Amino acid sequence: MTAAPDRRQTKTRAALHAAFRSLVLEQGYETLTVGAVADMANVGRSTFYEHYRTMDDLLRASIQGPFTTLADLVDKPEAGDALRDLLLHFRENQQVARVLLGWPTRPVLASALAQLIADRLRAVPLVTPLIPPEVIARQIAEMQLALIEAWIAGRPAMQEAAAVAALSAGTSALVQPLLKR
């Protein structure tokens, strides 16, 4: 049996995530410091480092939940409702999403998503591909992020159902040649 998460740790992480989100919107990611996040979260710098090694680690943790839905498309391509809800979440929080999908955070997001996708690829039976699964995972992640970025911007305008279908079909098209039959 696994122990339940400590409520204090959960509360501290929630405070760090809230401070991170607020400060990213206020000043952007490039100028964000551990001290500023810790101060706004009302914790010490050492407390920040008990939970995260770097600001990039906090960023990765903050997108872990939403990106799980995208990574799940590798082995659950029919995740329509969850994917639709995720796209709507991104659109509702487009100010944050636009900041995070830009520079310098985009490579961190792509790497984090690619890692989640690679984990899914390792869990399914694959043929021996000519291109390593990690490269395919990165390609899928970049495709997904590009489509989400276009969806958020509304340029070009696309219907929600079309965006969901494109994310699912694009992921499937890149995964299918790798699967053992």
Side-chain angles (χ1 to χ4, degrees):
M1 183 168 87
T2 59
D6 183 306
R7 288 187 348 204
R8 290 174 299 167
Q9 287 182 342
T10 302
K11 185 178 176 182
T12 299
R13 285 187 179 173
L16 288 168
H17 283 266
F20 173 77
R21 179 186 167 133
S22 177
L23 289 169
V24 160
L25 283 174
E26 184 180 307
Q27 64 190 49
Y29 188 79
E30 285 180 303
T31 60
L32 203 55
T33 65
V34 168
V37 171
D39 286 347
M40 183 173 256
N42 199 27
V43 299
R45 288 174 57 92
S46 62
T47 301
F48 176 95
Y49 289 116
E50 287 174 22
H51 296 272
Y52 304 104
R53 288 180 306 129
T54 66
M55 198 63 70
D56 285 352
D57 287 343
L58 175 56
L59 172 60
R60 283 185 199 92
S62 72
I63 51 89
Q64 182 85 22
F67 278 10
T68 296
T69 300
L70 294 171
D72 284 347
L73 290 173
V74 166
D75 52 0
K76 298 174 192 145
E78 68 287 339
D81 287 343
L83 194 52
R84 179 184 50 75
D85 292 346
L86 179 62
L87 285 176
L88 292 174
H89 170 76
F90 284 138
R91 171 97 24 107
E92 289 165 5
N93 296 282
Q94 64 183 279
Q95 194 175 8
V96 174
R98 283 183 178 156
V99 169
L100 295 181
L101 287 169
W103 183 259
T105 55
R106 176 65 171 266
V108 177
L109 294 184
S111 175
L113 180 55
Q115 183 61 53
L116 290 170
I117 292 168
D119 292 345
R120 302 309 189 284
L121 288 173
R122 283 190 281 279
V124 296
L126 301 176
V127 296
T128 304
L130 297 174
I131 300 172
E134 293 77 18
V135 175
I136 299 296
R138 186 60 180 238
Q139 185 179 13
I140 293 168
E142 292 289 355
M143 175 273 300
Q144 290 177 340
L145 292 177
L147 202 141
I148 289 167
E149 187 174 30
W151 159 259
I152 291 166
R155 291 184 306 267
M158 65 184 99
Q159 294 181 350
E160 151 193 325
V164 168
L167 281 167
S168 185
T171 301
S172 184
L174 290 167
V175 170
Q176 286 305 312
L178 300 175
L179 298 178
K180 284 188 179 176
R181 304 201 193 285

